[in-house]
Amino acid sequence: DSGVTQTPKHLITATGQRVTLRCSPRSGDLSVYWYQQSLDQGLQFLIQYYNGEERAKGNILERFSAQQFPDLHSELNLSSLELGDSALYFCASSRGQGVAKNIQYFGAGTRLSVL
Amino acid sequence: GIQVEQSPPDLILQEGANSTLRCNFSDSVNNLQWFHQNPWGQLINLFYIPSGTKQNGRLSATTVATERYSLLYISSSQTTDSGVYFCAVVPTSGTYKYIFGTGTRLKVLA
Protein backbone atom coordinates (compact mmCIF):
# COMPACT_ATOMS: atom_id res chain seq x y z
CA ASP A 1 0.00 0.00 0.00
CA SER A 2 1.57 3.27 -1.18
CA GLY A 3 -0.44 5.44 1.21
CA VAL A 4 -2.02 7.38 -1.66
CA THR A 5 -5.79 6.91 -1.80
CA GLN A 6 -7.84 7.39 -4.95
CA THR A 7 -11.60 7.23 -5.24
CA PRO A 8 -13.57 5.90 -6.91
CA LYS A 9 -11.78 2.82 -8.23
CA HIS A 10 -14.07 2.52 -11.22
CA LEU A 11 -16.31 5.01 -12.94
CA ILE A 12 -18.66 4.40 -15.83
CA THR A 13 -20.36 7.35 -17.43
CA ALA A 14 -21.73 8.65 -20.71
CA THR A 15 -20.33 11.06 -23.27
CA GLY A 16 -20.92 14.69 -22.42
CA GLN A 17 -20.99 14.10 -18.68
CA ARG A 18 -18.74 15.48 -15.97
CA VAL A 19 -16.91 13.49 -13.30
CA THR A 20 -14.67 14.21 -10.34
CA LEU A 21 -11.77 12.02 -9.30
CA ARG A 22 -10.40 12.36 -5.81
CA CYS A 23 -6.92 11.81 -4.41
CA SER A 24 -5.60 11.87 -0.86
CA PRO A 25 -1.80 12.04 -0.72
CA ARG A 26 0.45 10.20 1.72
CA SER A 27 0.64 11.79 5.12
CA GLY A 28 3.15 14.63 5.01
CA ASP A 29 3.36 14.86 1.22
CA LEU A 30 2.79 18.33 -0.18
CA SER A 31 2.89 17.60 -3.90
CA VAL A 32 0.17 15.87 -5.87
CA TYR A 33 0.52 14.78 -9.49
CA TRP A 34 -2.09 13.53 -11.93
CA TYR A 35 -1.36 11.13 -14.78
CA GLN A 36 -3.44 9.58 -17.51
CA GLN A 37 -2.75 6.13 -18.89
CA SER A 38 -4.48 5.29 -22.13
CA LEU A 39 -3.82 2.47 -24.58
CA ASP A 40 -2.62 4.74 -27.37
CA GLN A 41 -0.79 7.45 -25.38
CA GLY A 42 0.85 5.49 -22.58
CA LEU A 43 1.40 7.14 -19.20
CA GLN A 44 1.27 10.91 -19.49
CA PHE A 45 1.68 13.63 -16.91
CA LEU A 46 -1.29 15.97 -16.62
CA ILE A 47 -0.69 18.43 -13.80
CA GLN A 48 1.12 18.98 -10.48
CA TYR A 49 0.12 20.88 -7.37
CA TYR A 50 2.40 21.79 -4.51
CA ASN A 51 0.87 22.93 -1.24
CA GLY A 52 -2.26 24.18 -2.96
CA GLU A 53 -0.66 25.88 -5.93
CA GLU A 54 -0.32 24.69 -9.48
CA ARG A 55 3.36 24.03 -10.23
CA ALA A 56 3.57 22.20 -13.53
CA LYS A 57 1.28 21.46 -16.40
CA GLY A 58 1.54 18.70 -18.94
CA ASN A 59 -0.76 17.55 -21.69
CA ILE A 60 -3.96 18.42 -19.88
CA LEU A 61 -6.99 19.23 -21.98
CA GLU A 62 -8.93 22.44 -21.41
CA ARG A 63 -11.97 20.30 -20.52
CA PHE A 64 -10.00 18.99 -17.54
CA SER A 65 -9.21 20.95 -14.40
CA ALA A 66 -7.76 20.18 -11.02
CA GLN A 67 -7.23 21.72 -7.64
CA GLN A 68 -5.55 20.97 -4.35
CA PHE A 69 -7.40 21.87 -1.20
CA PRO A 70 -6.03 23.20 2.12
CA ASP A 71 -6.08 19.67 3.57
CA LEU A 72 -3.86 18.71 0.59
CA HIS A 73 -6.29 16.34 -1.06
CA SER A 74 -6.77 16.94 -4.76
CA GLU A 75 -9.58 16.59 -7.25
CA LEU A 76 -9.40 16.16 -11.00
CA ASN A 77 -12.51 17.32 -12.84
CA LEU A 78 -13.21 15.98 -16.30
CA SER A 79 -16.05 17.59 -18.25
CA SER A 80 -17.76 17.17 -21.62
CA LEU A 81 -16.43 13.65 -21.62
CA GLU A 82 -15.57 11.93 -24.88
CA LEU A 83 -15.00 8.28 -25.67
CA GLY A 84 -11.28 8.96 -25.93
CA ASP A 85 -11.15 10.06 -22.29
CA SER A 86 -11.58 6.46 -21.22
CA ALA A 87 -8.36 5.67 -19.38
CA LEU A 88 -6.74 4.86 -16.08
CA TYR A 89 -6.12 8.03 -14.09
CA PHE A 90 -3.38 7.94 -11.48
CA CYS A 91 -2.58 10.28 -8.68
CA ALA A 92 0.88 10.38 -7.14
CA SER A 93 2.32 12.31 -4.23
CA SER A 94 5.75 13.33 -3.01
CA ARG A 95 7.21 15.14 -0.01
CA GLY A 96 8.16 18.31 -1.79
CA GLN A 97 8.96 19.61 -5.19
CA GLY A 98 12.72 19.63 -4.87
CA VAL A 99 14.84 17.11 -6.71
CA ALA A 100 15.96 15.29 -3.58
CA LYS A 101 12.43 14.87 -2.31
CA ASN A 102 10.71 13.98 -5.51
CA ILE A 103 10.15 10.25 -5.03
CA GLN A 104 6.64 9.78 -6.29
CA TYR A 105 4.27 7.22 -4.80
CA PHE A 106 1.28 6.22 -6.88
CA GLY A 107 -2.27 5.47 -5.93
CA ALA A 108 -4.18 2.48 -7.29
CA GLY A 109 -5.82 4.56 -9.99
CA THR A 110 -9.35 5.32 -11.13
CA ARG A 111 -10.50 3.45 -14.19
CA LEU A 112 -12.82 5.68 -16.21
CA SER A 113 -15.01 4.22 -18.91
CA VAL A 114 -16.95 6.63 -21.11
CA LEU A 115 -19.73 4.95 -23.05
CA GLY B 1 11.91 16.90 -25.20
CA ILE B 2 13.63 13.96 -23.59
CA GLN B 3 13.07 10.51 -25.08
CA VAL B 4 12.84 7.46 -22.83
CA GLU B 5 13.10 4.12 -24.54
CA GLN B 6 12.80 0.72 -22.95
CA SER B 7 13.86 -2.64 -24.28
CA PRO B 8 12.81 -5.24 -24.94
CA PRO B 9 9.16 -4.26 -25.46
CA ASP B 10 8.01 -7.80 -24.67
CA LEU B 11 9.61 -10.65 -22.78
CA ILE B 12 8.42 -14.17 -22.02
CA LEU B 13 10.31 -16.21 -19.44
CA GLN B 14 10.02 -19.54 -17.77
CA GLU B 15 9.75 -19.40 -14.00
CA GLY B 16 13.21 -19.36 -12.46
CA ALA B 17 14.91 -17.56 -15.34
CA ASN B 18 16.82 -14.29 -15.03
CA SER B 19 16.30 -11.17 -17.13
CA THR B 20 17.65 -7.68 -17.73
CA LEU B 21 15.44 -4.76 -18.72
CA ARG B 22 16.97 -1.61 -20.13
CA CYS B 23 15.97 2.04 -20.05
CA ASN B 24 17.76 4.57 -22.27
CA PHE B 25 17.17 8.29 -21.96
CA SER B 26 18.27 10.99 -24.35
CA ASP B 27 19.16 13.77 -21.91
CA SER B 28 20.50 14.23 -18.41
CA VAL B 29 18.12 13.45 -15.57
CA ASN B 30 17.77 14.31 -11.91
CA ASN B 31 15.55 11.43 -10.92
CA LEU B 32 14.81 7.96 -12.14
CA GLN B 33 12.34 5.44 -10.79
CA TRP B 34 11.44 1.93 -11.82
CA PHE B 35 7.83 0.79 -11.46
CA HIS B 36 6.00 -2.48 -11.86
CA GLN B 37 2.42 -2.30 -13.10
CA ASN B 38 0.71 -5.50 -12.08
CA PRO B 39 -2.13 -7.13 -14.04
CA TRP B 40 -4.65 -5.22 -11.89
CA GLY B 41 -3.19 -1.92 -13.05
CA GLN B 42 -1.45 -0.90 -9.83
CA LEU B 43 1.85 0.98 -10.20
CA ILE B 44 4.30 -0.24 -7.61
CA ASN B 45 7.54 1.54 -6.77
CA LEU B 46 10.54 -0.69 -7.25
CA PHE B 47 13.52 1.62 -7.08
CA TYR B 48 14.37 5.26 -6.82
CA ILE B 49 17.76 5.23 -8.51
CA PRO B 50 19.06 8.40 -10.21
CA SER B 51 22.55 6.86 -10.05
CA GLY B 52 24.38 3.86 -8.65
CA THR B 53 23.18 0.39 -7.79
CA LYS B 54 20.50 -0.88 -5.44
CA GLN B 55 19.20 -4.30 -4.56
CA ASN B 56 15.94 -5.46 -3.08
CA GLY B 57 15.57 -9.22 -2.83
CA ARG B 58 15.53 -10.76 -6.29
CA LEU B 59 15.50 -7.36 -7.95
CA SER B 60 18.38 -5.00 -8.48
CA ALA B 61 18.91 -1.87 -10.53
CA THR B 62 21.83 0.10 -11.85
CA THR B 63 21.81 3.58 -13.32
CA VAL B 64 24.80 5.01 -15.18
CA ALA B 65 23.68 8.61 -15.45
CA THR B 66 26.71 9.75 -17.44
CA GLU B 67 25.90 7.20 -20.14
CA ARG B 68 22.15 7.78 -19.90
CA TYR B 69 20.84 4.34 -19.16
CA SER B 70 19.46 2.23 -16.37
CA LEU B 71 19.13 -1.52 -16.01
CA LEU B 72 16.67 -3.56 -13.98
CA TYR B 73 17.68 -7.13 -13.15
CA ILE B 74 15.16 -9.76 -12.18
CA SER B 75 16.58 -13.02 -10.91
CA SER B 76 14.78 -16.32 -10.33
CA SER B 77 11.61 -14.90 -11.86
CA GLN B 78 8.21 -15.87 -10.49
CA THR B 79 4.76 -15.74 -12.07
CA THR B 80 3.94 -12.80 -9.79
CA ASP B 81 6.64 -10.79 -11.59
CA SER B 82 4.39 -10.65 -14.66
CA GLY B 83 3.16 -7.25 -15.71
CA VAL B 84 4.65 -4.14 -17.28
CA TYR B 85 7.85 -2.52 -16.06
CA PHE B 86 8.26 1.21 -16.54
CA CYS B 87 11.16 3.50 -15.97
CA ALA B 88 10.35 7.16 -15.42
CA VAL B 89 12.77 10.08 -15.41
CA VAL B 90 12.75 13.73 -14.41
CA PRO B 91 14.84 15.72 -16.90
CA THR B 92 17.46 18.06 -15.49
CA SER B 93 15.96 20.88 -17.50
CA GLY B 94 12.29 21.49 -16.86
CA THR B 95 9.82 20.93 -14.12
CA TYR B 96 9.46 18.11 -11.63
CA LYS B 97 7.35 15.84 -13.77
CA TYR B 98 8.12 12.28 -14.64
CA ILE B 99 8.46 11.23 -18.25
CA PHE B 100 7.58 7.57 -18.55
CA GLY B 101 9.17 5.10 -20.89
CA THR B 102 7.17 2.87 -23.17
CA GLY B 103 7.45 -0.10 -20.83
CA THR B 104 8.55 -3.74 -21.02
CA ARG B 105 5.73 -6.26 -20.86
CA LEU B 106 6.92 -9.35 -18.97
CA LYS B 107 5.14 -12.66 -18.82
CA VAL B 108 6.52 -15.39 -16.59
CA LEU B 109 5.26 -18.88 -17.33
CA ALA B 110 4.87 -21.56 -14.66
Side-chain angles (χ1 to χ4, degrees):
Chain A
D1 184 0
S2 66
V4 179
T5 303
Q6 287 189 248
T7 56
K9 287 188 170 29
H10 302 278
L11 202 46
I12 301 174
T13 187
T15 54
Q17 296 297 305
R18 173 189 167 96
V19 297
T20 298
L21 283 52
R22 183 187 170 102
C23 170
S24 294
R26 292 187 325 149
S27 177
D29 284 0
L30 298 178
S31 277
V32 169
Y33 310 77
W34 287 97
Y35 294 84
Q36 179 194 57
Q37 185 178 29
S38 60
L39 282 175
D40 54 345
Q41 297 288 330
L43 259 159
Q44 290 206 308
F45 167 76
L46 295 178
I47 197 163
Q48 178 206 355
Y49 281 83
Y50 172 74
N51 204 20
E53 293 188 7
E54 182 185 307
R55 284 306 169 107
K57 220 166 186 176
N59 301 324
I60 187 167
L61 299 172
E62 284 191 12
R63 299 184 286 107
F64 296 0
S65 65
Q67 54 183 327
Q68 186 179 27
F69 294 86
D71 66 352
L72 301 177
H73 91 271
S74 178
E75 292 181 357
L76 178 67
N77 300 296
L78 315 177
S79 61
S80 303
L81 285 167
E82 302 175 359
L83 295 177
D85 297 327
S86 296
L88 195 47
Y89 291 85
F90 286 105
C91 167
S93 73
S94 69
R95 278 281 180 265
Q97 65 165 355
V99 168
K101 299 176 183 177
N102 196 29
I103 300 174
Q104 295 188 24
Y105 296 89
F106 281 71
T110 292
R111 189 174 296 278
L112 173 67
S113 298
V114 182
L115 305 178
Chain B
I2 191 170
Q3 302 298 312
V4 184
E5 295 180 356
Q6 291 185 242
S7 60
D10 295 280
L11 190 55
I12 300 175
L13 299 174
Q14 286 293 331
E15 205 167 24
N18 302 329
S19 61
T20 301
L21 282 57
R22 187 176 180 102
C23 171
N24 290 334
F25 38 97
S26 61
D27 206 346
S28 59
V29 300
N30 286 322
N31 288 354
L32 188 147
Q33 279 186 255
W34 281 97
F35 296 92
H36 173 216
Q37 187 168 34
N38 65 23
W40 296 270
Q42 271 189 301
L43 270 173
I44 299 160
N45 277 318
L46 296 177
F47 294 102
Y48 168 74
I49 187 163
S51 63
T53 297
K54 288 187 178 178
Q55 178 150 11
N56 184 5
R58 297 181 295 104
L59 302 181
S60 64
T62 295
T63 297
V64 184
T66 53
E67 296 187 21
R68 299 182 184 170
Y69 73 89
S70 183
L71 302 174
L72 177 69
Y73 306 96
I74 304 174
S75 64
S76 305
S77 57
Q78 301 175 357
T79 55
T80 51
D81 296 331
S82 297
V84 184
Y85 289 80
F86 291 101
C87 70
V89 303
V90 176
T92 301
S93 58
T95 55
Y96 304 111
K97 56 182 182 181
Y98 271 114
I99 306 298
F100 278 80
T102 48
T104 291
R105 186 175 299 275
L106 173 65
K107 184 159 188 169
V108 181
L109 305 175

